[in-house]
Amino acid sequence: MPLAFTPKDWESRAKEMGLPAFRGRQIFDAIHRRGVTSFEAMTELSRADRRRFQDLFPMALPEVVRREASADGSVKYALRLSDDALIEAVFMPRGEALASAESEFADARAEGPGGRSAAIRPPRTPPGERATLCLSSQTGCAVDCRFCVTGRLGAGRNLSGGEIVGQYLAVRREHPDTSLSLVFMGMGEPMLNFENVAQALKVFTKTISPRRITVSTAGFPDGIRRLGELEKVPNLAVSINAADERTREEIMPVTRAHPLAEVLAAMKAFPLPPRRRITAEYVLIDGVNDSVEDAKKLGRLLRGLPVKINVIPLNPDPRYLPEFQPPSETAIDAFVEELARQKYTVTVRRSRGPDSYAGCGQLKGRAADSRRR
Ligand code: SAH
Ligand code: SF4
């Protein structure tokens, strides 16, 4: 799929067509720096060459079929792939909050109790601002975490490398002046589509620093190892979600195949550049894993690992997740305080309004619904 071609790939295609290699690099730059996906518009090529490339390498971006904007400025996009499968991607302004732990913690505290309904609304992202884009890697997820809507809806197929890159280009087109950080925290488990995610990363890291890209996994040790072996290693996030094996088995059945100890060992072995840390994600669920005792255990579990902890209050869904409720504000505060007391850097990814999506972790795709329509 041409959208997943690297500069080298385009260079060899150009050479095969009897053109100098720099023509290939020009095509890569047109697509990935200027967002041009039609050869017709690449006027740096001759008319005849434009036509030849167009015939050989037709490129189509996923189609944006729905946009849901929320008051905090985030936008959830539904994108239709060529086989009609739907995926979701979420644009989140002020994305640096995800990357910079301290600011998010300060932010969460400043909102105080009842932060969810805080009246202060950040303005729309002005031009030149940074944002984070949450990307999907599959059209569903077979991992079956009990608290995850994507998981409840069941397995999907892998996105191709070109579809992953196309997803980014399609959303970037809607926010041309925003510089995007990327997180693989949308639909699917990136490590179960490793080759295509790695191919997309090769392309992304030509124009985006790997420091601004994060791959999130439910905890596949082999995938974590392979990610660490890439030429350009992105940030790693691991969904820990429970402080002991038994609770984790209940909410993340994948724990039976890949016990926590193995996941933690893979995290320990992950090659981290200086001053970078792994994000340990923890979805906080009322009465399941949100006690101060759980926070104490979590602190002990992660002791010695180079992590920052991202606490994500459950995003409820009465239809798909009727048995799970979000934690109380008091429980969130007590949980965070205990981890802070243990000297962890903690961030809380809060919903900032009733129509907010709390970033990712609530993505449905809904391919089936759309076919019915
Ligand atoms: N499969 C990968 C990436 C996609 S899920 C993974 O599991 O890490 C991205 C994040 O959303 C994970 O941390 C997951 O625990 C979280 N998540 C899933 N369902 C959620 C929900 N209902 N509320 C809040 N976060 C959720
Ligand atoms: Fe899949 Fe991640 Fe959802 Fe688990 S949390 S079901 S791994 S998308």
Side-chain angles (χ1 to χ4, degrees), residues 116-136:
R116 269 150 206 283
S117 53
I120 307 151
R121 298 264 184 246
R124 290 226 164 262
T125 312
E129 199 80 340
R130 291 189 161 203
T132 298
L133 177 61
C134 174
L135 293 171
S136 292

Side-chain angles (χ1 to χ4, degrees), residues 68-103:
E68 287 174 33
S70 65
D72 66 3
S74 63
V75 188
K76 183 158 74 169
Y77 292 96
L79 299 149
R80 187 172 20 230
L81 306 177
S82 56
D83 64 348
D84 278 350
L86 289 187
I87 51 161
E88 290 180 336
V90 185
F91 171 90
M92 295 173 284
R94 301 197 312 164
E96 58 281 16
L98 266 183
S100 152
E102 287 75 7
S103 75

